[in-house]
Amino acid sequence: MLQQSSLINRHMSPPRASHGVINRPRLTTLSNLLLQHRLCLVHAPAGSGKTTLLAQWYAALKETGVTTVWYSTNETDGDPLGFADGLIKAVETSVHRNGAAIAPLDQQDALASLVAILMRCASLTPLALFIDDYHLAEGGDGGETINRVLAACVPQLTIVLASRNRPPIAIGRLRVSGEILEVPVEELFFDETETEAFFQASSDISLTAEESRQMHGYTEGWAAGLRLASLVLGRTPGAFTETPPTGSHRAFAEYFLEEVISGLPERIYHFLTRTSILDALNASLCDAVTEGDDGNEILTFLEEAQLFVVALPGSHRWYKYHHLFQEFLQARLYAQPQIALTELHSRAARWFIENGSPTDAVRHAFLARRPDWAAEMIESYCVFDYLSHGRFEVFSRWMQQLPRDAREERPLLLFLHVWRSINMRRFLQAEQTLATIETLAADKTSRMSIIARETGLDVEGRLHLMRALIGAYGGNLANGLSHINALGDRRLDQLAFGQVDLDSIHSYLALQAGDLARAEKLTRYAKGVYDEMGVHWGGLHSRSITAMCYLARGMMREAENVADDALHIACKHFGEHSYMVALPSALLGVVALDRGEFDKAEQLWRRAIPSDNTNDVSGLCERILISTIGLARVYDATGRSDEATNILVRASRRAYETEDFRLEFQLATERANRGFRLGNPSEGLREWERLSLHLPEAMRRFPPSAWQLWEAYYVVEARAMTETGRKEAALSNLVRLEARATREGRMLSAAQVARLIKQLNGSDDGLSLGQSEQRHTLNAYLDIPRESFPPASTHQRTARSSNSELDVLTRREEEVLELMRWGLSNSEIARKLGINLNTVKSHSKNLFAKLGVKNRTQAVVWNLNSP
C-alpha cells in the first residue's frame, strides 16, 4: 500500500528542480498568460526541457494561489479510461492537499466523471491541469480524453500539455479563437546567453564567452545535450579546449539508446542509420540511398514523433538530423560491417548529380573513395558554380583531396588551380602548374592530352591566357600584353570561361595600355556573357573595369551607376569583407570624393582595404591602390597627416612583403608627390631619389603605354624638375603629357595635368590645401577636378576674349556655372537658386554659347583652366 501511494505521489507531483536549472524569463514569464488560454501545448523531442518548464510554470501559478494539478503520464495510461482515472486521482489529491473535499460523483463513466470533477473545482477558483509526457498515453487514448474535456468548455480551466509528439487533438478552432498557447521546440532551445548561464549554474566549469558560443552551436541549444556535455566536461576538465564530446560519446549514446531508439520498429532504425550519411534529407534522396520507397512515410513519422529531425525552411520538405543524433547514428552505422558505406555514398552522389546539386555529389564521391569520379564531376559540373560564387576555399580543399594522378588528368582543373594561385598572388606556384600542363600537353599519349582533345580544350591558348593574367595581377604589364598579343584574333574554346575570360583579361590590359575604346568594347561583351551564365564573379569584375574606363574619361555619373550595380551584386553573393565587395567600393570612393563627400569616401575606402587574413584575395591592384591613396589624401585634407603617413607606410610594407612591385612603385610615386604637394620639397626630392632606384625594373615591367603608372611618375618628375631649376623643361613635358591624354580620351588625366601646368605657371587661384584637395584629390584618375574634359584650345579662348560684351556672363549665369562646377543637376540648381527649371536651361544654353562649348562638362573645365 505504501509503495502504491509512493507511486501515485510520484506521478502527481512535479519533479524537484535539479542542480543547474536556470530561470529563462522569455519562457518562464509565459506563466502569466496560461490562464488566458484553454490549452497550452508544449511539443518537443526528448531532453528539450519540457518537464522543467512545466514545473516552473506550476510553481509560479501555485504561488499566486491558483489551484494546480500535476499528472505525469506513464505506460499504464494507454487505456483511455485508465488515463481518465489517473487524472481524477490527481485532481482529488491536489484538492485534498489544499484542505478541501470533493463530494462523491454519480457518473459511472470515467470520462464523464473527469469532466464533472473539473467543472466543480474550476467553478470555485481558476484551475491549471498540467499533464507531462502525454505521448505515453496518446497511443491508446488517441486524444479522446483531452478532446472530451475541451469540448465541455469548462470555465476557468487551463490544460497545460507536454508531449514529444504533436498530439491528435482538434486544435484548429482553438487557434482561430486564440484559445491556445503553443510553445514549439525552437522556443525551448537555449540561446548563447542562457548556455553560458547554464554552465555557470550547473557545474564547476567556467566557459569563456567564446567557448559558450561554441558550445551553443555544438549542442544547437538542446537542453539535454547541454546537461550531458556538462557531465562529460566535469569528468574531464579542459576537454572542451581540445575537442567537444561527439554524439557517439557514451553519455550521449546511452541517452539516445534509452530515450529515442528503444522501441522503434526495425525498419525505422535501419532508415535512421543509413540516411545518417546525409546532411539534409528529403523523401526522394532517402529512397535512393536506402533503395526503398517509404521515405516520405518515414520522414512524416519522424517529424510527427520529433525524433531529432528538423524541417528546413522552404516548401520542398527537406529535413536534417540534430548533429549529435546524427553522429550517434553514424557510429552505429560504422559498427555494422555488413553495410557498404561506399555504396551508400555512391547512391547519394548519383542522386545529387541527377537533381542538379553537383557540389554535394562531389562530397559524396570523395566519401565513396572514388577520387577519379570526384575529379570528373568537378570538371564537368562544378566549374561554373566555383567561379560564379567565388567558392575558392571549397575548390582548394577538393584539389588537396585529389591524388596527383587524378588532378593531372584533368586539364581544366589544373587551369583553375592556376587561377586560384594567381588570386592568392602565388605566381611561382602558378607558373609551376603551367609548366606541368605544358609538359603533359606535349605528350600526345597522356591522359590529359586525350581529355583535352575529346573536350576541345585549347591548351596552348589557355597557357597564354593564364600568363597574361599573371602579368595583369603580378604587375608585369609588358609580359601580360605580350601574351595577349600572341593570341591575336584567336578565338579560345568555349569550355568553362574560355573566350569570355580572354575578353575580360584583355579588356583590363587594354585599359592599362590606354586603349579605352577596346577596353569598353571587350568588357561590355564579357559582362553580357557572364550575366547570361549567372557568373556573378565575372560579371561584377567586368562592371568594375567598365567603371574604371568611365572614371578615366571623366564620366563620373556613369561610373557611379556601373560601380553601384557591381557593389549590389557583390553584397548579394559574396562576403562583406571579400575582394569582390572591396573593388567596387574603392571605385565608388572616387565618385564620393569627387562630390566632396569626404566621410562617405573614407567609409568606402576603409571597406576596400584588405584585411590581415592571409587568405584574402588581393585581386586587381586598383583595389588597394585607390583606397590607400584616397584615404591618405583625405587624411591630409582633414588635418590627419600622421594617419596618412601610417596608411602609406603599411601599404608599402605589404607591397614589399608580397612582392607586389607595381603597387610598391605606385605608392613610392605617391609618397614623392605627397612631399611636393604638401609644400615639403626636400621630402619630395628624397622620395624622388628613392623612386628613381626602381626605374630600371619599372621600365622592364611597364610599357610606355601604361599611362596610370607613367603619368603619375612624370607628374612627380615635373615637380622635381621645377624644384631643381628646370621649370621650362618640366612644363614642356607636361604639355606633351596633356596632349597625349587628350588624344587617348582620358579626360581626367588631361584636366589634372592642365591644372598642374596652371599651378606651375603661378596662376593658381589661391585655394587653401583643404579646398584644393576637394577639387582634385587623387593621382591619375584620382587627382582630377570633377566632371572634367580637355580645355578648349588657345585659339578658342583668344577668339572669345575679343568678343563683344554680349559674351560676358551675367551674374546669374556665373551662379549657374558655379553650381554646375559642383556637380548639381538642373533641378538641384533650380531649387538652390529659387528659380524655374526652364530658366536654368535657358541660362545654361546662353552660357554654353558665350563660352563656345557644347555641354556643361566642357563649360566647367573651360572655367577651371581659364586665365
Side-chain angles (χ1 to χ4, degrees), residues 27 38 41 65 113 164 185 214 232 245 305 381 397 463 472 555 639-640 670-671 714 758 833 863:
L27 292 175
R38 293 174 58 196
L41 184 58
S113 297
R164 294 184 184 178
V185 60
Q214 293 177 11
V232 173
Y381 302 108
R397 188 167 62 250
L463 288 169
M555 302 167 67
R640 293 176 283 170
E670 169 60 17
R671 291 198 306 273
Y714 293 142
K758 184 177 179 180
L833 298 179
N863 183 57

Side-chain angles (χ1 to χ4, degrees), residues 281-283 296 303 311-319:
L281 314 90
N282 74 1
N296 186 61
E303 183 182 19
L312 297 174
S315 59
H316 299 293
R317 296 201 68 194
W318 280 88
Y319 303 85

